[in-house]
Every structure is written in C-alpha cells, then in structure tokens.
C-alpha cells in the first residue's frame, strides 16, 4: 500500500460515492461475498463497494474486524457475527497506537482481508487518501493469508502522490 506524501482528498465523499457506478459495484460485491466461508475471520476496510458486499453475506458465523463505522452499523445487530471495531484517530499522535493495537489484537488469527482503494496504478500500487489509512492497510495486509482489493474501473490507472 502506497501512502500519500500528504493528506489529499480524491473525488467525492463516501456518501456521494455510494451511488457512483452502482451496477458495477454490486457485481463486484456479489462475487466477492461468494468467497466468504463459514467461521472465517475477516477484516473489512472502509469502502463503498465493501458496504454493498454486506447485502450478499450468507447466513453464517463470522468474526469481523473493521475500521469502518458504516460496516459496524450494518453488522452489529447480526447475532452470528462477532464484531470487533478497531478505533483509531487520524491525529498523528495516536496513529501508531492504532497500528500497535491492531497487531496485538489478532496475532494468531488468519484473516481474509477486503480492501477498498482510492486509486490503483500498475507500477505504483494501490493508494489511500490519508497516511493513516495506508498504514492500517499495510499492517492488516502483511498479517493476512488472503487479501481482496475491491475496485471498480474508475480507480484504475490513477495514483495518489
């Protein structure tokens, strides 16, 4: 995961992006949800496509770790999902605490990770808009057995620097 040189804002807000390229995002969400298996430990990132993926969750027992309030709001009432919300801050003074907390919370779990990205470039890699986001993604991705990047065509061929 590439981190930006500075905090940047790319494109539309989360709420506005939810309706952007909706049919394509629903196709991606449906397909990726079919890969989830009973009893898995998942990390679900902040992403409009990931939020749509929750519509297609099968009725199964899962453990979900997330840094996304919208994901938490969708899943917290489901009795079959053990939900862990990793809280952090975009303030520089607490960003290290968030990463250490995440590494210490789940050292023995093998997680399947689902990520969103602000931009994806073949040579530069996937990018996040804020440094803390990139750091969290790198940390979680490094400790995973599997990782999926959910991105529609509007993200490809772009980079944040």
């Amino acid at each position: 995961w590439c981190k930006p040189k500075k905090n940047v804002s790319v494109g539309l807000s989360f709420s506005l992006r939810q309706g952007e390229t909706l049919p394509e995002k629903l196709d991606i969400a449906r397909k990726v949800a079919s890969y989830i298996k009973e009893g898995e430990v998942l990390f679900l990132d902040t992403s409009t496509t990931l939020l749509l993926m929750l519509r297609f969750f099968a009725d199964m027992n899962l453990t979900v770790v997330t840094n996304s309030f919208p994901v938490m709001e969708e899943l917290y009432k489901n009795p079959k999902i053990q939900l862990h919300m990793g809280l952090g801050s975009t303030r520089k003074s607490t960003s290290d605490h968030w990463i250490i907390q995440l590494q210490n919370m789940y050292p023995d779990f093998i997680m399947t990770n689902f990520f969103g990205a602000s931009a994806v470039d073949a040579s530069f890699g996937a990018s996040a808009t804020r440094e803390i986001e990139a750091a969290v993604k790198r940390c979680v991705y490094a400790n995973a057995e599997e990782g999926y990047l959910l991105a529609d065509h509007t993200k490809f061929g772009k980079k944040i620097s």
Side-chain angles (χ1 to χ4, degrees), residues 4 29 35 42 49 51 56 59 87 91 105 109 118 153:
Y35 299 147
L42 311 175
T49 307
L51 194 57
F56 305 106
D59 186 32
L87 296 176
R91 290 188 177 135
M105 278 174 59
F109 285 109
S118 300
H153 75 280

Side-chain angles (χ1 to χ4, degrees), residues 2-3 15 21 27 30-31 40 42 49 59 61 71 78 86 90-91 99 118-120 130 139 142 149 151 154 156:
C2 301
K3 65 180 180 180
S15 60
T21 63
D27 287 343
R30 185 179 297 108
K31 179 66 176 177
E40 278 194 299
L42 311 175
T49 307
D59 186 32
N61 293 302
V71 167
N78 186 331
T90 57
R91 290 188 177 135
I99 295 179
S118 300
V120 181
R130 293 181 304 199
C139 172
L149 176 65
T154 63
F156 288 90

Side-chain angles (χ1 to χ4, degrees), residues 27-38:
D27 287 343
I28 293 167
R30 185 179 297 108
K31 179 66 176 177
V32 174
S34 73
Y35 299 147
I36 298 170
K37 298 171 193 71
E38 176 79 27

Side-chain angles (χ1 to χ4, degrees), residues 25-132:
K25 287 180 180 186
L26 284 168
D27 287 343
I28 293 167
R30 185 179 297 108
K31 179 66 176 177
V32 174
S34 73
Y35 299 147
I36 298 170
K37 298 171 193 71
E38 176 79 27
E40 278 194 299
V41 178
L42 311 175
F43 177 82
L44 302 180
D45 189 26
T46 59
S47 160
T48 56
T49 307
L50 273 167
L51 194 57
L52 291 170
M53 183 181 81
L54 302 180
R55 295 181 184 183
F56 305 106
F57 264 26
D59 186 32
M60 63 179 93
N61 293 302
L62 299 168
T63 299
V64 174
V65 180
T66 187
N67 59 338
S68 168
F69 281 105
V71 167
M72 182 206 58
E73 288 175 331
E74 287 291 320
L75 296 180
Y76 84 97
K77 290 182 182 178
N78 186 331
K80 290 192 165 197
I81 294 179
Q82 183 180 3
L83 183 62
H84 298 270
M85 183 72 184
L87 296 176
S89 173
T90 57
R91 290 188 177 135
K92 194 170 186 145
S93 63
T94 60
S95 64
D96 288 339
H97 173 70
W98 159 239
I99 295 179
I100 291 166
Q101 177 187 6
L102 189 60
Q103 287 172 332
N104 291 334
M105 278 174 59
Y106 300 98
D108 298 325
F109 285 109
I110 297 173
M111 291 192 288
T112 303
N113 301 303
F114 297 89
F115 297 103
S118 300
V120 181
D121 179 76
S123 60
F124 192 70
S127 298
T129 55
R130 293 181 304 199
E131 195 169 324
I132 183 66

Side-chain angles (χ1 to χ4, degrees), residues 8-28:
V8 293
S9 177
V10 174
L12 303 171
S13 72
F14 189 89
S15 60
L16 292 174
R17 284 185 288 121
Q18 285 181 300
E20 198 178 57
T21 63
L22 185 60
E24 188 175 0
K25 287 180 180 186
L26 284 168
D27 287 343
I28 293 167

